[in-house]
Amino acid sequence: KLLFYYLIIIFMNFKDQLTYRILKRFSVFTGRLSENRREKLARRLATFIYYLLPIRKKQALNNLKNAFPEKDFGWIKKQLKGTYNIVSNNFIDFLSLSRSYSKIRFRIENQDVLDDAVNKNKGVLLITGHFGLWEKWGSWFGNNNYDIWGVIQKQANKGADLFFKEIRESYGMNHIYRKSSVDKIYDLIKNNKIIILASDQNAKKRGVIVEFFGKKTSIPKGAALFHLRTNVPLIFSVGHRDPDGTIVISFEKINVESNTIEGITQDYTKKLEAKIREHPDHYFWFHRKWSRIMENE
């Protein structure tokens, strides 16, 4: 595999090679820092982005206002700053994971829910969202010998794409690109693999309409379709960070009794909403969650 990656790097253009080498060096640098120094670096990065590179900041503010209309602007602003901090932490965590994993403190809630699903030998769809420190969340599975496959977006920059693959493979996560054949996912289900799907982005006309914080939104229907066609168990899972730094990972069965795409999708969307209400600063508020639906109303 190292030879294969080496050949990929050789045939990259200069920009992609440079990106790869910069990320590798930054990864080595962050991996050598103590947890406290990584936290400080993440906070500084978050402050810099919040004030000087406010990409989609207005979108995030509007999403928070839509989700929590009863809250004042001071509260909204505090949660948004927390979101920037979580996103920055995710980036720094990701760079350093291969070297810092052993120092992470985890607490697992309802692990038996996941293990029971795996023991059915029907595969598992692990449904999550863009919530919390998801890189640390994902690293726990591979480091605890769960055979996981993440459905990810391929990066346009080949250097960045290769670097991200290397990091995730270092903690045991395999990859499927979003535009890969659906047959690949069916094969993995048949072979009792765990497939991670982040099913919370606005799917526009391709999705199914459900409620999120009391408002209509479009959510990808793939998870529900896979279940209805294969009877694969559906488990909802996210991880949040306690004040002492512990990463708390929880598992819940998704209610599939409705036997409908709408009912199944609504159930795990409500579960995600409940977690966000507990930890509003943990959610990635930068998606256009309701924009297309609102425009049509």
Side-chain angles (χ1 to χ4, degrees):
K1 183 172 283 188
L2 288 175
L3 177 60
F4 175 69
Y5 284 164
Y6 179 71
L7 291 173
I8 291 176
I9 294 169
I10 288 176
F11 289 102
M12 287 180 188
N13 61 38
F14 175 76
K15 178 184 175 183
D16 294 347
Q17 283 192 20
L18 181 62
T19 301
Y20 177 81
R21 297 188 189 285
I22 290 173
L23 288 170
K24 287 287 280 188
R25 293 202 174 188
F26 200 27
S27 176
V28 172
F29 167 71
T30 55
R32 290 173 177 168
L33 298 177
S34 66
E35 183 177 358
N36 186 50
R37 291 184 69 188
R38 282 196 299 273
E39 285 279 346
K40 288 182 179 178
L41 178 60
R43 285 197 297 270
R44 288 171 182 169
L45 179 62
T47 300
F48 174 79
I49 296 173
Y50 181 86
Y51 287 107
L52 299 178
L53 295 174
I55 301 170
R56 290 201 182 182
K57 184 177 179 180
K58 185 177 179 180
Q59 179 69 55
L61 276 171
N62 287 336
N63 282 343
L64 274 160
K65 290 175 183 177
N66 285 327
F68 300 97
E70 75 283 5
K71 299 294 187 179
D72 61 34
F73 184 71
W75 185 92
I76 296 291
K77 189 176 178 180
K78 180 181 178 181
Q79 304 312 314
L80 182 58
K81 286 183 175 179
T83 297
Y84 274 88
N85 193 48
I86 287 286
V87 171
S88 297
N89 266 282
N90 260 316
F91 178 63
I92 300 300
D93 286 343
F94 180 70
L95 292 175
S96 62
L97 262 177
S98 58
R99 296 172 176 83
S100 65
Y101 178 83
S102 62
K103 299 176 183 177
I104 304 172
R105 299 182 303 278
F106 289 101
R107 187 173 80 247
I108 312 303
E109 297 178 347
N110 302 322
Q111 186 174 349
D112 60 303
V113 171
L114 175 63
D115 291 339
D116 289 346
V118 172
N119 291 335
K120 290 179 180 179
N121 293 312
K122 295 181 178 180
V124 178
L125 284 187
L126 197 64
I127 312 304
T128 189
H130 292 82
F131 177 95
L133 297 172
W134 58 76
E135 296 297 348
K136 285 181 176 177
W137 171 86
S139 71
W140 178 84
F141 296 93
N143 278 288
N144 284 275
N145 300 314
Y146 289 99
D147 197 344
I148 56 169
W149 293 72
V151 180
I152 65 169
Q153 182 68 43
K154 189 170 187 177
Q155 301 296 312
N157 185 296
K158 293 180 180 179
D161 192 66
L162 177 61
F163 174 78
F164 294 158
K165 284 182 66 176
E166 284 183 347
I167 292 289
R168 291 190 173 115
E169 287 175 358
S170 75
Y171 61 73
M173 181 182 288
N174 302 290
H175 292 80
I176 314 170
Y177 289 123
R178 286 191 184 278
K179 294 187 178 180
S180 298
S181 169
V182 174
D183 291 338
K184 174 67 174 177
I185 297 180
Y186 281 117
D187 287 341
L188 292 171
I189 289 172
K190 190 183 299 182
N191 287 287
N192 199 32
K193 308 302 183 185
I194 301 173
I195 302 164
I196 296 174
L197 291 176
S199 294
D200 62 328
Q201 289 185 307
N202 190 339
K204 302 178 183 178
K205 294 181 179 180
R206 302 187 307 276
V208 56
I209 305 301
V210 297
E211 284 198 356
F212 184 63
F213 284 90
K215 299 175 177 62
K216 293 179 181 178
T217 188
S218 175
I219 298 293
K221 61 179 72 173
L225 280 172
F226 280 121
H227 169 77
L228 293 173
R229 292 172 179 174
T230 67
N231 202 31
V232 59
L234 300 182
I235 305 297
F236 174 77
S237 178
V238 292
H240 72 266
R241 182 174 62 180
D242 271 354
D244 68 356
T246 300
I247 305 301
V248 182
I249 297 176
S250 59
F251 298 98
E252 299 177 68
K253 290 182 182 178
I254 293 172
N255 189 331
V256 297
E257 292 181 2
S258 67
N259 256 346
T260 65
I261 293 173
E262 293 83 358
I264 294 170
T265 307
Q266 182 66 78
D267 186 74
Y268 66 71
T269 301
K270 281 292 183 185
K271 285 177 166 57
L272 176 60
E273 179 182 325
K275 289 294 182 181
I276 296 171
R277 288 188 180 278
E278 291 176 9
H279 308 280
D281 63 335
H282 277 44
Y283 192 54
F284 192 83
W285 290 105
F286 303 95
H287 295 153
R288 294 186 176 96
K289 286 296 298 180
W290 298 287
S291 56
R292 180 57 59 91
I293 300 302
M294 287 181 163
E295 288 168 8
N296 291 338
E297 289 183 341

